Amino acid sequence: MIHLFCGYEAREALGFHAFVASVLSQASQPVSIVPLAEMGLPRGSNAFTLSRFLVPFLTGYRGHAIFADASDMLVTADIAELDALFDPRFAVQVVQHPNYRTRHQIKYRGTALETINTEYARKNWASVMLINCEHPAWSGITPDSLAGAKVLDLLQLVHCDGAVGALPDCWNRLVDEGHPVEGAKLMHWTAGIPGFPAYQDAPGAEQWFSAMRSTDLRAAA
């Protein structure tokens, strides 16, 4: 069983359903999908900014799991390929975007989510994580500890320093930041999904709309 935790933002629900459809349509193994929202924690730019770091706590600090922002993503390959990259030597494995600076000073334009797109080191590293839930780096992270935690330290995976492994870049392509759509196994629209009017012509939009149509039960009838 593949354990996949997905960021859920109600104001971006279309994106969540498109992502889940893209996962299930290509998965070669059973996938347990768990949506994560606020869980009583302070909000960041979206509902799951902090709750993603509770994945080890939610698993009882056992085994390994995948976290993906999900709501602004799409997979184009078998999620089992990502799960198979798990390496128990690391606390977490991520796509490490080198020297990345955003092209979008504002994200979610024209929506209730619109906000400044803050720059910081290791930006978007924590948007896709292959997590070793048993690693001691996660042992102190609980709902209580997150309530007063420094958000940027968490997003930069400071608690995992020295135990951060790398994933192939195809598993978190920032397609609206100039990363190539071709060869992407996971596409990530960092500024806003193609379902938002301001981003309907973003790179990879055709694939996103195709996945979205597959969730329409009326079209499938």
Side-chain angles (χ1 to χ4, degrees):
M1 176 73 73
I2 296 169
H3 298 282
L4 175 61
F5 290 79
C6 300
Y8 178 78
E9 168 58 68
R11 295 168 294 180
E12 208 173 14
L14 285 175
F16 175 83
H17 292 294
F19 177 82
V20 169
S22 71
V23 170
L24 296 179
S25 67
Q26 299 169 96
S28 63
Q29 298 178 28
V31 184
S32 169
I33 296 175
V34 179
L36 293 178
E38 294 101 324
M39 297 178 63
L41 296 168
R43 295 177 67 94
S45 62
N46 55 54
F48 51 86
T49 297
L50 286 178
S51 58
R52 75 187 72 199
F53 301 106
L54 287 179
V55 169
F57 171 84
L58 294 170
T59 66
Y61 303 103
R62 294 191 299 270
H64 70 275
I66 299 168
F67 170 82
D69 277 10
S71 291
D72 57 2
M73 294 175 168
L74 201 72
V75 296
T76 61
D78 184 353
I79 198 70
E81 294 180 28
L82 174 57
D83 190 69
L85 296 173
F86 174 68
D87 187 332
R89 294 177 300 168
F90 301 108
V92 65
Q93 294 162 259
V94 298
V95 175
Q96 301 178 14
H97 305 109
N99 306 316
Y100 161 58
R101 295 185 64 84
T102 182
R103 299 180 174 187
H104 304 275
Q105 301 308 309
I106 302 293
K107 60 181 180 178
Y108 309 129
R109 287 187 181 275
T111 76
L113 287 160
E114 184 171 319
T115 187
I116 294 172
N117 196 7
T118 306
E119 292 277 12
Y120 55 88
R122 299 181 177 181
K123 188 174 178 68
N124 277 310
W125 283 27
S127 57
V128 176
M129 298 186 286
L130 185 51
I131 302 170
N132 180 357
C133 301
E134 300 181 9
H135 195 281
W138 296 100
S139 61
I141 297 184
T142 66
D144 288 342
S145 72
L146 285 186
K150 294 181 179 179
V151 176
L152 281 184
D153 282 354
L154 288 164
L155 291 172
Q156 294 171 7
L157 300 169
V158 170
H159 63 287
C160 294
D161 273 351
V164 180
L167 292 173
D169 81 317
C170 59
W171 282 109
N172 194 359
R173 286 278 177 83
L174 313 179
V175 293
D176 61 347
E177 298 281 25
H179 295 186
V181 170
E182 184 177 0
K185 295 187 176 182
L186 185 148
M187 293 190 287
H188 184 182
W189 292 271
T190 66
I193 56 174
F196 294 155
Y199 307 101
Q200 61 185 352
D201 296 321
E206 290 183 7
Q207 291 97 313
W208 188 91
F209 283 112
S210 177
M212 192 65 253
R213 285 192 295 270
S214 75
T215 71
D216 188 341
L217 296 179
R218 294 168 298 177

